[in-house]
Amino acid sequence: MSPPLIVASNRGPLTFERAPRGGKLLARRGSGGLVTALSSALIEAEGMWVAAAMSEGDREKVAASTSGRIDHVEGDARYHLRYLDIPPDLFDGFYNRISNGVLWFAHHYLWDTVTSPSFGPDVEESWDAYVDVNQRFAKALAEEGEKLGGDTAFLVQDYHLSLVPRMLRDLVPDALIAHFSHTSIAGPTYFRMLPARIHDQVMRGLLGADVLGFHAPAWAENFLLSARQLPGARVDLARSRIVTEGREVTVRIHPISVDGRAMREVAATPRVRSLRHALNRWRDNNRLILRVDRLELTKNVVRGFQAYELFLRRNPSWLGRVRFLALLSPSRMELPEYREYTEACLGEARRVNDALGREGWSPIELRLKDDYIGAIAAYGLYAVLFVNPVIDGMNLVAMEGPLLNRRRGVLVLSRKAGAYGRLGRYALPVNPFDVDEMADALEQAMAMPVDERTRRSRGLSRLVLANPPARWVGGQLEDLERAKRRRP
Ligand code: G6P
């Protein structure tokens, strides 16, 4: 029997949306590894998921509920949700300004430090909103935990909720708390760019947990190095442990993966099949280079197009015989940097098309749309999957593609993605800043003999299938179990 379980994340597993013309409120399930892994664990444990109401439909659901508690049944699955309705101004400070505008930037080294960041009083104000929302989460978790009983395991997710472990510990001193970071983690020098108050509160907030989880060793190490600078914290780097305020905090690595079986089922549906046929007709006789990304500053789309242009210029025999399909879903458009980056990506694609395109053939097709099903269809067809983020906590595209590809496609993968540690030996590695090397990798991938492609693509799908999402949750629950046994 699993222990009672409560998950907390900013974005919940279900988004509610009104059907057209004032129809019913329909639930749409998120598609990432996190939702998949945690949903099945929660359904099994009859646990609860606490999240922020993000859509209009979510808010309508909360308004019609008691204290935001929503029960939703889908087939055999029963979800117990509690959605927090946070006033829009407060949510803006918490989500757009601090979570995405400051913490995300810091952890992904996104500032151009000659001119940014420049922290002024507005950041202090937004920080208060971040603290307030974290406090609301902690309070809701404490309430739900009390209902479920003493040994409830709390699984807190990501940089939006970095203060929750400490706040929850203050409310429920013996709570069993794990926090998991899905991002990369900046090294101590860069992370110290944050205002001291924010830096220290984030570190102390996280250290309220019993266990801190990361996707890759490099992120865990960076966290430990930052912790070493905190007064009163004793860090054992070799054993990945921190002792602070008389408590022990363990740092663990649990790489998340995708649900191979479920994805293959989706890929076999008539809808995906017909999309795949349509794409194949569009592709015509061209080989396909594919990228699938959130339109995100870390994904390195512009340098990716430059590398492709260089590849074409060096290998003109490929002109008219290859197409680069970039499926990019708009993201975080509230932030000006994301709007500017979208324009930069569109501009670069236009430039390459103008420079190298010919009658009836253009080298790049950029589709700007949230289209998960379209991506599943495209995965079946690529000759090369191009995943070149400047930095990435994990990167699930690098796993989804090889699972669903039917053409022994080659994965070109950035050494800076967390996924590289697991998949690197079957991929062609690239330095995401080195356009020249990326162009070479594209050339090598396009020219790779079929037996070599077969060996690599089989290796990749084997590795992905060997690490089902349930293992990711299971590992964290075992860590908490061990933490409990260690207590006096
Ligand atoms: C990516 C990151 C996660 C993060 C999520 C939030 O998937 O890897 O760490 O939680 O984005 O995205 P959102 O659309 O909710 O801002």
Side-chain angles (χ1 to χ4, degrees), residues 7-17 28-32 34-35 38-39 49-55 58 81-84 86 91 94-96 99-100 133 137 157-161 182 294 330-334 370:
V7 170
S9 64
N10 172 56
R11 197 180 281 280
L14 301 178
T15 305
F16 295 91
E17 275 158 15
R28 191 163 51 86
R29 209 186 88 155
S31 51
L34 181 151
V35 169
L38 287 171
S39 297
W49 196 315
V50 179
M54 292 191 70
S55 68
D58 292 354
L81 310 174
R82 176 162 172 189
Y83 277 9
L84 309 179
I86 297 159
F91 191 74
F94 154 76
Y95 177 68
N96 291 317
S99 301
N100 292 339
V133 172
F137 267 90
Q157 309 300 310
D158 239 349
Y159 58 99
H160 314 88
L161 303 182
H182 293 268
R294 232 165 19 88
S331 179
R332 304 186 190 166
M333 288 298 177
E334 293 81 4
D370 187 4

Side-chain angles (χ1 to χ4, degrees), residues 384-397:
V384 180
L385 181 65
F386 194 16
V387 182
N388 67 327
V390 290
I391 190 162
D392 211 332
M394 177 48 88
N395 196 295
L396 298 180
V397 169

